[in-house]
Amino acid sequence: MSEDRVADSLFEPEGDLVEEMEAFRCFLKSKGYRVTKEREAIAESILKNHDHFDVDELFLSLRPKTPVSKASIYRAIPLMKESGLLAEVYLENGHMHYERVYGREHHSHLRCLNCHRIFEFSAPELAQVEKRISRQEGFKSEGHKFEIWGLCAACQTEKR
Ligand SMILES: [Zn+2]
Ligand SMILES: [Zn+2]
């Protein structure tokens, strides 16, 4: 990790990444998966990413330093999900978009259909709905996803 990386991760001191990478390696070992350079590079790139991204974007972000094939990324994704590092967020034009979840609070998304920007929000009442419905249906829930799609404020002004 070079010093010049510190500036673009204001919300995350460098120490966190080391800790998170260690947690990821522990997960791999505990499951009997191999700790490979490729898997480490993919995990590191995900941990540094504060946005929502698809496989193509992940591929491009890795390329300058550690060239990893798209096939390896596709194979690594289920592992990353299982480790609690990564979650699926939304599907757009047949491409799944992901985000890092490790160390982040649960949140929901607003997705603009025009500019494709993603906005995050958190609404504690959604957790209550999850609990209530699950109780009613005798369901053991493990999470929920809530997405609002439409036009963001900027795009509505533009279209007028
Ligand atoms: Zn928009
Ligand atoms: Zn998000």
Side-chain angles (χ1 to χ4, degrees), residues 102-117:
Y102 197 86
R104 296 200 64 201
E105 257 177 64
H106 184 271
H107 60 271
S108 300
H109 298 94
L110 293 147
R111 180 160 64 92
C112 180
L113 298 171
N114 186 54
C115 67
H116 306 288
R117 273 196 293 168

mmCIF file of all heavy atoms in Angstrom, residues 102-117:
data_model
loop_
_atom_site.group_PDB
_atom_site.id
_atom_site.type_symbol
_atom_site.label_atom_id
_atom_site.label_comp_id
_atom_site.label_asym_id
_atom_site.label_seq_id
_atom_site.Cartn_x
_atom_site.Cartn_y
_atom_site.Cartn_z
ATOM 1 N N TYR A 102 -18.682 -4.876 4.050
ATOM 2 C CA TYR A 102 -17.875 -5.067 5.245
ATOM 3 C C TYR A 102 -17.689 -3.746 5.985
ATOM 4 O O TYR A 102 -17.236 -2.772 5.411
ATOM 5 C CB TYR A 102 -16.513 -5.645 4.852
ATOM 6 C CG TYR A 102 -15.770 -6.252 6.003
ATOM 7 C CD1 TYR A 102 -15.995 -7.575 6.359
ATOM 8 C CD2 TYR A 102 -14.866 -5.503 6.729
ATOM 9 C CE1 TYR A 102 -15.314 -8.135 7.418
ATOM 10 C CE2 TYR A 102 -14.187 -6.067 7.791
ATOM 11 C CZ TYR A 102 -14.414 -7.374 8.134
ATOM 12 O OH TYR A 102 -13.746 -7.923 9.187
ATOM 13 N N GLY A 103 -18.059 -3.708 7.247
ATOM 14 C CA GLY A 103 -17.858 -2.500 8.047
ATOM 15 C C GLY A 103 -18.799 -1.358 7.724
ATOM 16 O O GLY A 103 -18.608 -0.242 8.174
ATOM 17 N N ARG A 104 -19.823 -1.627 6.907
ATOM 18 C CA ARG A 104 -20.766 -0.556 6.561
ATOM 19 C C ARG A 104 -22.134 -0.848 7.143
ATOM 20 O O ARG A 104 -22.504 -1.998 7.335
ATOM 21 C CB ARG A 104 -20.901 -0.433 5.036
ATOM 22 C CG ARG A 104 -19.627 -0.031 4.345
ATOM 23 C CD ARG A 104 -19.961 0.539 2.987
ATOM 24 N NE ARG A 104 -20.742 1.754 3.117
ATOM 25 C CZ ARG A 104 -21.510 2.240 2.149
ATOM 26 N NH1 ARG A 104 -21.614 1.639 1.015
ATOM 27 N NH2 ARG A 104 -22.179 3.353 2.341
ATOM 28 N N GLU A 105 -22.891 0.221 7.387
ATOM 29 C CA GLU A 105 -24.235 0.033 7.895
ATOM 30 C C GLU A 105 -25.187 -0.351 6.780
ATOM 31 O O GLU A 105 -24.990 0.036 5.629
ATOM 32 C CB GLU A 105 -24.725 1.344 8.512
ATOM 33 C CG GLU A 105 -24.668 1.310 10.030
ATOM 34 C CD GLU A 105 -25.076 2.644 10.597
ATOM 35 O OE1 GLU A 105 -26.251 3.016 10.399
ATOM 36 O OE2 GLU A 105 -24.222 3.298 11.220
ATOM 37 N N HIS A 106 -26.237 -1.084 7.159
ATOM 38 C CA HIS A 106 -27.231 -1.457 6.161
ATOM 39 C C HIS A 106 -27.914 -0.201 5.615
ATOM 40 O O HIS A 106 -28.227 0.714 6.360
ATOM 41 C CB HIS A 106 -28.272 -2.385 6.783
ATOM 42 C CG HIS A 106 -29.272 -2.871 5.779
ATOM 43 N ND1 HIS A 106 -30.426 -2.177 5.505
ATOM 44 C CD2 HIS A 106 -29.262 -3.940 4.964
ATOM 45 C CE1 HIS A 106 -31.081 -2.823 4.547
ATOM 46 N NE2 HIS A 106 -30.403 -3.896 4.205
ATOM 47 N N HIS A 107 -28.122 -0.150 4.313
ATOM 48 C CA HIS A 107 -28.800 0.999 3.722
ATOM 49 C C HIS A 107 -29.553 0.558 2.474
ATOM 50 O O HIS A 107 -29.386 -0.560 1.999
ATOM 51 C CB HIS A 107 -27.791 2.102 3.393
ATOM 52 C CG HIS A 107 -26.737 1.668 2.433
ATOM 53 N ND1 HIS A 107 -25.562 1.088 2.833
ATOM 54 C CD2 HIS A 107 -26.685 1.700 1.080
ATOM 55 C CE1 HIS A 107 -24.835 0.796 1.780
ATOM 56 N NE2 HIS A 107 -25.488 1.143 0.688
ATOM 57 N N SER A 108 -30.386 1.448 1.973
ATOM 58 C CA SER A 108 -31.146 1.159 0.764
ATOM 59 C C SER A 108 -30.744 2.139 -0.332
ATOM 60 O O SER A 108 -29.967 3.054 -0.089
ATOM 61 C CB SER A 108 -32.647 1.264 1.054
ATOM 62 O OG SER A 108 -32.992 0.342 2.055
ATOM 63 N N HIS A 109 -31.294 1.928 -1.527
ATOM 64 C CA HIS A 109 -30.833 2.710 -2.672
ATOM 65 C C HIS A 109 -31.952 3.353 -3.473
ATOM 66 O O HIS A 109 -33.033 2.793 -3.599
ATOM 67 C CB HIS A 109 -30.026 1.806 -3.615
ATOM 68 C CG HIS A 109 -28.795 1.258 -2.964
ATOM 69 N ND1 HIS A 109 -28.770 0.035 -2.351
ATOM 70 C CD2 HIS A 109 -27.564 1.793 -2.816
ATOM 71 C CE1 HIS A 109 -27.558 -0.170 -1.858
ATOM 72 N NE2 HIS A 109 -26.813 0.871 -2.119
ATOM 73 N N LEU A 110 -31.641 4.519 -4.005
ATOM 74 C CA LEU A 110 -32.469 5.185 -5.014
ATOM 75 C C LEU A 110 -31.644 5.126 -6.295
ATOM 76 O O LEU A 110 -30.450 5.412 -6.272
ATOM 77 C CB LEU A 110 -32.687 6.662 -4.666
ATOM 78 C CG LEU A 110 -33.519 7.011 -3.436
ATOM 79 C CD1 LEU A 110 -32.979 8.282 -2.814
ATOM 80 C CD2 LEU A 110 -34.968 7.207 -3.821
ATOM 81 N N ARG A 111 -32.271 4.733 -7.386
ATOM 82 C CA ARG A 111 -31.518 4.562 -8.627
ATOM 83 C C ARG A 111 -32.149 5.412 -9.717
ATOM 84 O O ARG A 111 -33.337 5.275 -10.023
ATOM 85 C CB ARG A 111 -31.567 3.074 -9.011
ATOM 86 C CG ARG A 111 -30.849 2.713 -10.275
ATOM 87 C CD ARG A 111 -30.554 1.224 -10.298
ATOM 88 N NE ARG A 111 -31.775 0.406 -10.317
ATOM 89 C CZ ARG A 111 -32.360 -0.025 -11.435
ATOM 90 N NH1 ARG A 111 -31.852 0.293 -12.610
ATOM 91 N NH2 ARG A 111 -33.438 -0.775 -11.373
ATOM 92 N N CYS A 112 -31.368 6.324 -10.305
ATOM 93 C CA CYS A 112 -31.888 7.183 -11.366
ATOM 94 C C CYS A 112 -31.787 6.462 -12.712
ATOM 95 O O CYS A 112 -30.716 6.011 -13.107
ATOM 96 C CB CYS A 112 -31.138 8.511 -11.424
ATOM 97 S SG CYS A 112 -31.785 9.576 -12.741
ATOM 98 N N LEU A 113 -32.922 6.377 -13.394
ATOM 99 C CA LEU A 113 -32.977 5.648 -14.660
ATOM 100 C C LEU A 113 -32.384 6.459 -15.807
ATOM 101 O O LEU A 113 -32.093 5.932 -16.870
ATOM 102 C CB LEU A 113 -34.426 5.287 -14.990
ATOM 103 C CG LEU A 113 -35.129 4.371 -13.984
ATOM 104 C CD1 LEU A 113 -36.608 4.264 -14.304
ATOM 105 C CD2 LEU A 113 -34.481 3.001 -13.934
ATOM 106 N N ASN A 114 -32.194 7.766 -15.586
ATOM 107 C CA ASN A 114 -31.657 8.608 -16.644
ATOM 108 C C ASN A 114 -30.136 8.738 -16.565
ATOM 109 O O ASN A 114 -29.433 8.416 -17.509
ATOM 110 C CB ASN A 114 -32.321 9.983 -16.594
ATOM 111 C CG ASN A 114 -31.914 10.857 -17.761
ATOM 112 O OD1 ASN A 114 -32.048 10.447 -18.929
ATOM 113 N ND2 ASN A 114 -31.394 12.035 -17.481
ATOM 114 N N CYS A 115 -29.614 9.186 -15.411
ATOM 115 C CA CYS A 115 -28.162 9.391 -15.316
ATOM 116 C C CYS A 115 -27.459 8.201 -14.666
ATOM 117 O O CYS A 115 -26.232 8.181 -14.579
ATOM 118 C CB CYS A 115 -27.852 10.665 -14.539
ATOM 119 S SG CYS A 115 -28.306 10.600 -12.802
ATOM 120 N N HIS A 116 -28.220 7.227 -14.209
ATOM 121 C CA HIS A 116 -27.694 5.995 -13.612
ATOM 122 C C HIS A 116 -26.932 6.209 -12.308
ATOM 123 O O HIS A 116 -26.162 5.355 -11.891
ATOM 124 C CB HIS A 116 -26.813 5.220 -14.619
ATOM 125 C CG HIS A 116 -27.521 4.953 -15.908
ATOM 126 N ND1 HIS A 116 -28.539 4.039 -16.015
ATOM 127 C CD2 HIS A 116 -27.409 5.539 -17.123
ATOM 128 C CE1 HIS A 116 -29.003 4.057 -17.251
ATOM 129 N NE2 HIS A 116 -28.337 4.963 -17.941
ATOM 130 N N ARG A 117 -27.158 7.368 -11.702
ATOM 131 C CA ARG A 117 -26.526 7.576 -10.397
ATOM 132 C C ARG A 117 -27.299 6.807 -9.326
ATOM 133 O O ARG A 117 -28.497 6.579 -9.451
ATOM 134 C CB ARG A 117 -26.485 9.068 -10.039
ATOM 135 C CG ARG A 117 -25.244 9.740 -10.593
ATOM 136 C CD ARG A 117 -25.005 11.080 -9.944
ATOM 137 N NE ARG A 117 -26.062 12.028 -10.297
ATOM 138 C CZ ARG A 117 -26.216 13.200 -9.681
ATOM 139 N NH1 ARG A 117 -25.441 13.554 -8.685
ATOM 140 N NH2 ARG A 117 -27.172 14.025 -10.077
#
